[in-house]
Amino acid sequence: MSDESFTTLPISRAAMANLATLGYKKMTPVQAQSLPLILKGRDLIAQAKTGSGKTAAFGIGLLEKINPRFFGVQALVLCPTRELADQVGKELRRLARSIPNIKLVLLCGGKPFGPQKGSLAYGAHIVVGTPGRIQDHLRKETLELKGMKTLVLDEADRMLDMGFIDVVKDIIRHAPRARQTLLFSATYPEKIKRLCRSVQRDPVTVTVEVEHDPGVIQQLFYEVKKHERNNTLLALFEHYQPRNALVFCHTKKQCDVVARLLRDHRVEALALHGDLDQRQRDQVLVRFSNDSCPVLVATDVAARGLDIKSLEVVINYELTRDPEVYVHRIGRTGRAGEKGLALSIFTISDQQRIREIEIYQDKPCICDTYASLDRDPDFSLRPPMVTIQIAAGRKNKLRPGDLLGALTGEAGLAGSQVGKIDIFDMTSYVAIERTALRQALNYLSSGKVKGRNVRARKVS
Ligand code: AMP
């Protein structure tokens, strides 16, 4: 992560507030380097991979230029695959929440043409899709790019590797000359340079270090006697004092026991395992991601698919038998350019597991001793935010902006006191700074959101 906050950028206040609700505080390196240039309207070549925050980099840029009152395509994002287009579409929709009535249409192959045509006829501001299908729409004149201001070529190297060069060039022939062209690519071979020369105007190049480098994760192993496991876990918290952590256990029961142990020692923690029903799981994940619960204690299965942004430390309460699972577990820290820390507790009977991890990673495991841990007996880990649940959701047409507007408007909270907002079908969650909890609840229980009374309660 860079040290720069989004507040240094010339973007609208609504966009800024929305970034806060998404939990984006600091810019990633690619954002810090490219956004000032993108917002100045420059063409850009950025060498950045998935995971670097590149979607928000071009997303924030292109959204600033959208005029919601003009119902024509103003931004086009070309992606090599349907999966990537889906992912990009989702992130852009999240970023676009600050602008009312923005319409984004996904145009990918493998999907029926008719509904896409219908969506376009209705008027789209942003199109995201794969080259083949977009070319089809242009040929059939169901898509028009005359009003396009921003063109993004995402994962351009993959697009060319997949043989899309002529299609991409054909699409660009339908676009106005006066446009901004942003090209993102993990690599920068000659064929990409040639493409840039032919489709960009005086581009600036931005290169960021490789993200997800396993080298940024510091791994330490602590050998303990079996009965010292719990005490060591507490010592790790008291010594390293992380802001947040994911603790891995083997069994569901162990997750519950360990979460309780931590709570009994002033470390706020929740268990995440397969015995939770969907609603409980949603709540745990929401609270973890919105800074109102700093520690999750999870099984591997329950942690599958967990999309965690910046996790300071992963702790293995027990080592896994499978070195691949170990590497997968620790890969949850050290993301988006931040330094990661992985701490593992093991006993003498786990020696073989340690050796397998060494072979798998082709480097020795560095062991530290329990005795070396300085403990701060006053350490406590209390989250800065509290989650409020509101008994209305997407099905009630509730949107993040409605909640943010009500809380920062009539309820009188500062924008900085409102955190991430998650809207589900029938229910919503908003993170509120602990000190503003009363004020928020008082308002929600007596005031109105979108002209309707709502029921709200603190989640605990
Ligand atoms: P991308 O490289 O665009 O696929 O983004 C990787 C992940 O980082 C996505 O889940 C984004 O939601 C997230 N992300 C992007 N920018 C930031 C930021 N400034 N702070 C925290 N998370 C971010």
Side-chain angles (χ1 to χ4, degrees):
M1 211 46 76
S2 73
D3 282 334
E4 280 179 69
S5 123
F6 287 98
T7 50
T8 56
L9 296 175
I11 57 175
S12 73
R13 281 181 56 181
M16 200 82 80
N18 184 45
L19 290 171
T21 71
L22 291 172
Y24 296 4
K25 297 190 182 89
K26 302 250 167 73
M27 288 192 262
T28 66
V30 69
Q31 291 162 358
Q33 287 190 47
S34 65
L35 266 167
L37 297 161
I38 294 176
L39 291 165
K40 272 191 195 144
R42 293 290 303 265
D43 278 7
L44 182 92
I45 301 167
Q47 255 181 289
K49 287 201 216 172
T50 295
S52 59
K54 64 185 167 71
T55 316
F58 64 72
I60 293 169
L62 69 84
L63 285 168
E64 279 301 308
K65 293 203 297 190
I66 300 268
N67 173 4
R69 282 176 301 278
F70 170 65
F71 287 93
V73 176
Q74 296 166 58
L76 172 67
V77 183
L78 292 181
C79 302
T81 65
R82 204 193 316 172
E83 288 71 33
L84 184 67
D86 261 348
Q87 229 172 295
V88 167
K90 282 203 181 102
E91 175 84 350
L92 291 182
R93 284 200 169 105
R94 281 195 289 264
L95 293 166
R97 290 195 309 215
S98 56
I99 318 172
N101 305 322
I102 281 278
K103 197 156 164 245
L104 181 149
V105 172
L106 272 180
L107 300 180
C108 296
K111 294 271 163 77
F113 196 88
Q116 294 182 348
K117 183 177 160 188
S119 295
L120 288 169
Y122 196 68
H125 300 100
I126 305 171
V127 166
V128 178
T130 46
R133 182 55 64 97
I134 287 177
Q135 189 186 36
D136 284 350
H137 279 285
L138 287 168
R139 285 189 174 158
K140 293 190 175 127
E141 296 182 354
T142 44
L143 172 66
E144 208 201 72
L145 298 178
K146 284 204 189 82
M148 194 189 79
K149 301 180 206 166
T150 317
L151 169 69
V152 180
L153 304 174
D154 197 9
E155 299 203 359
D157 48 355
R158 265 177 86 194
M159 244 168 346
L160 297 202
D161 286 345
M162 290 167 77
F164 280 134
I165 180 80
D166 292 332
V167 184
V168 169
K169 284 188 170 166
D170 183 43
I171 292 170
I172 294 176
R173 273 194 285 277
H174 288 80
R177 274 177 190 278
R179 59 162 196 268
Q180 182 177 27
T181 307
L182 309 173
L183 179 138
F184 290 77
S185 188
T187 58
Y188 193 46
E190 188 50 42
K191 56 185 176 185
I192 292 282
K193 288 184 192 153
R194 270 201 303 274
L195 175 70
C196 292
R197 277 196 294 271
S198 68
V199 305
Q200 290 190 301
R201 268 202 305 203
D202 188 23
V204 266
T205 304
V206 158
T207 313
V208 288
E209 280 170 40
V210 177
E211 311 287 353
H212 271 284
D213 175 358
V216 301
I217 304 173
Q218 188 190 7
Q219 305 177 44
L220 291 170
F221 296 78
Y222 291 84
E223 183 176 342
V224 300
K225 303 224 164 45
K226 217 170 167 187
H227 67 274
E228 290 171 337
R229 210 183 274 283
N230 284 351
N231 212 2
T232 307
L233 178 68
L234 297 173
L236 291 175
F237 273 98
E238 289 171 16
H239 176 81
Y240 289 101
Q241 310 203 345
R243 271 179 300 109
N244 60 25
L246 179 58
V247 180
F248 280 103
C249 290
H250 273 340
T251 64
K252 300 170 191 173
K253 184 149 173 273
Q254 212 175 35
C255 288
D256 283 330
V257 172
V258 170
R260 197 171 319 123
L261 169 85
L262 290 171
R263 285 198 297 271
D264 288 346
H265 289 82
R266 302 180 307 279
V267 173
E268 209 59 58
L270 290 171
L272 181 74
H273 55 62
D275 279 355
L276 305 183
D277 61 33
Q278 190 58 43
R279 190 187 53 88
Q280 290 169 320
R281 183 180 158 87
D282 288 344
Q283 281 195 3
V284 170
L285 295 180
V286 161
R287 288 170 70 188
F288 188 62
S289 69
N290 73 9
D291 284 337
S292 58
C293 169
V295 180
L296 272 195
V297 185
T299 57
D300 289 301
V301 176
R304 207 173 277 159
L306 213 61
D307 175 27
I308 304 171
K309 308 261 140 68
S310 76
L311 193 58
E312 229 175 90
V313 46
V314 167
I315 300 179
N316 288 302
Y317 181 75
E318 273 194 56
L319 274 184
T320 63
R321 225 164 278 138
D322 183 346
E324 207 178 319
V325 174
Y326 168 81
V327 171
H328 187 64
R329 281 182 176 184
I330 70 163
R332 296 262 171 48
T333 175
R335 291 201 169 171
E338 291 195 346
K339 265 183 127 52
L341 180 64
L343 307 169
S344 302
I345 304 174
F346 72 100
T347 63
I348 190 113
S349 58
D350 295 325
Q351 287 290 357
Q352 183 56 27
R353 295 182 185 181
I354 293 280
R355 258 191 301 281
E356 277 168 16
I357 292 171
E358 289 182 327
I359 294 167
Y360 189 83
Q361 298 197 106
D362 196 22
K363 66 177 182 187
C365 289
I366 299 168
C367 293
D368 208 344
T369 60
Y370 169 51
S372 72
L373 296 169
D374 278 333
R375 298 181 69 161
D376 173 358
D378 295 327
F379 175 69
S380 71
L381 188 49
R382 300 264 183 248
M385 311 296 274
V386 187
T387 300
I388 293 180
Q389 180 179 16
I390 292 128
R394 208 175 286 131
K395 292 251 157 86
N396 311 87
K397 305 237 178 306
L398 189 67
R399 301 200 310 176
D402 303 326
L403 282 174
L404 186 65
L407 289 164
T408 56
E410 283 178 42
L413 273 73
S416 60
Q417 292 177 308
V418 183
K420 193 162 173 275
I421 296 174
D422 292 278
I423 310 270
F424 290 78
D425 277 351
M426 308 301 293
T427 190
S428 307
Y429 300 94
V430 52
I432 299 288
E433 215 171 76
R434 190 169 286 279
T435 50
L437 174 67
R438 272 284 122 239
Q439 194 181 343
L441 274 178
N442 282 346
Y443 171 78
L444 289 171
S445 54
S446 59
K448 290 186 177 201
V449 177
K450 252 191 145 177
R452 280 191 305 116
N453 287 321
V454 290
R455 271 186 302 127
R457 66 169 193 108
K458 172 180 169 233
V459 182
S460 53

